[in-house]
Amino acid sequence: MTDLDVALSLESSAPGRFGAVFPDGWQQGRGAFGGLVVAALVRAAAATSADLARTLRSLTAELCGPTLPGPADILVEPLRIGSGVSTLAVSLVQAGEVQAHAVAVFGRERDAAAAWTELAPPAAPPWPEVPVLPLSAAVGGPVFAQHVEFRPVRAPLFAGGDEARAEGWVRLKQPPAVRDAAWLALLCDAWWPAAFARMTAPRPMATIAFTFQPLVDASRLDPEAPVYHRATAPVARGGYAVELRELWSADGELLALNQQTFAVIR
């Protein structure tokens, strides 16, 4: 098992109740990297849904506070199990407080012919041609970045530019044994905020809301291949920025969509 597989291991104690242990080494600031927290919520919801004909269609999460390294409880409550859609609420509780909450929607396939992608695939150089950015806590990056390989394409940092944009190839250095929607959710959150392209110096930012739509069966993806991250933050008001993120495969398939609300802490 890789570090990620260990970090996302859940122990079921009763129906809809899971124990998790968030390891040291996955922090972003004081708490665990938000992508890891969301991935744990996805895993718990999927384990509770347990209907293989219904896959995750959407997850809307709020990251209420920092999930610290150590044990946590994840509680899943079915809100409604319909004929084609299951809706579940998921809460992560640590030290008696809810640190993260989500609503996950699982649905069976309905009309396979109703399929299109109006977003244009990114025009990106092949990932082997793009240099790796050595990002780690030792050079001012977040602690969790030690697990991730970044190959920026159009992602200036603190350039004071007129566009909040971030693009590049990203993958985990140790591919996980389990490739699922939780893995895609984590990859959606791996990149730094697109707003950093407009800023002239680092400023602490935190995700407070996270909406995620996986669009493919992740188990068929090559775990060694990177995905292409494309993001823009088209609006910021009152110390909060809204960012739209996309994940693409190397052959131009849209893998997932993600919208985040960031708080500029100071």
Side-chain angles (χ1 to χ4, degrees), residues 14-247:
R17 298 185 65 91
F18 301 88
V21 178
F22 289 87
D24 192 21
W26 283 90
Q27 293 97 317
Q28 182 173 5
R30 190 160 62 96
F33 157 51
L36 183 67
V37 174
V38 172
L41 300 179
V42 172
R43 282 274 172 92
T48 302
S49 173
D51 184 346
L52 298 181
R54 301 185 183 198
T55 59
L56 182 67
R57 304 294 175 174
S58 179
L59 178 127
T60 304
E62 293 77 38
L63 302 179
C64 313
T67 297
L68 302 179
D73 295 314
I74 301 179
L75 313 176
V76 184
E77 176 189 0
L79 299 179
R80 185 177 187 275
I81 309 300
S83 60
V85 170
S86 302
T87 306
L88 301 92
V90 193
S91 297
L92 186 152
V93 179
Q94 194 175 55
E97 293 188 336
V98 175
Q99 303 295 358
H101 177 271
V103 173
V105 179
F106 294 80
R108 61 174 173 81
E109 185 167 305
R110 295 172 180 269
D111 183 359
W116 64 85
T117 301
E118 295 188 357
L119 293 170
W127 69 272
E129 299 178 6
V130 181
V132 175
L133 175 69
L135 186 62
S136 67
V139 294
V143 172
F144 84 88
Q146 65 183 308
H147 303 285
V148 186
E149 178 186 286
F150 300 93
R151 294 176 183 253
V153 175
R154 285 178 285 274
L157 278 167
F158 314 120
D162 58 4
E163 186 178 33
R165 176 174 294 276
E167 293 190 35
W169 298 102
V170 61
R171 66 176 176 176
L172 292 171
K173 293 178 181 178
Q174 293 184 335
V178 178
R179 300 181 303 284
D180 58 3
W183 171 55
L184 287 179
L186 182 143
L187 288 173
C188 279
D189 196 44
W191 210 273
W192 53 83
F196 282 0
R198 277 185 169 269
M199 297 177 178
T200 57
R203 297 186 67 179
M205 298 179 66
T207 300
I208 58 172
F210 186 105
T211 302
F212 166 64
Q213 291 87 26
L215 302 172
V216 299
D217 175 6
S219 66
R220 66 174 173 78
L221 300 177
D222 178 0
E224 298 283 351
V227 298
Y228 194 81
H229 169 103
R230 181 167 68 181
T232 61
V235 62
R237 294 287 188 278
Y240 298 87
V242 178
E243 184 163 323
L244 310 176
R245 297 184 169 199
E246 307 159 14
L247 286 187

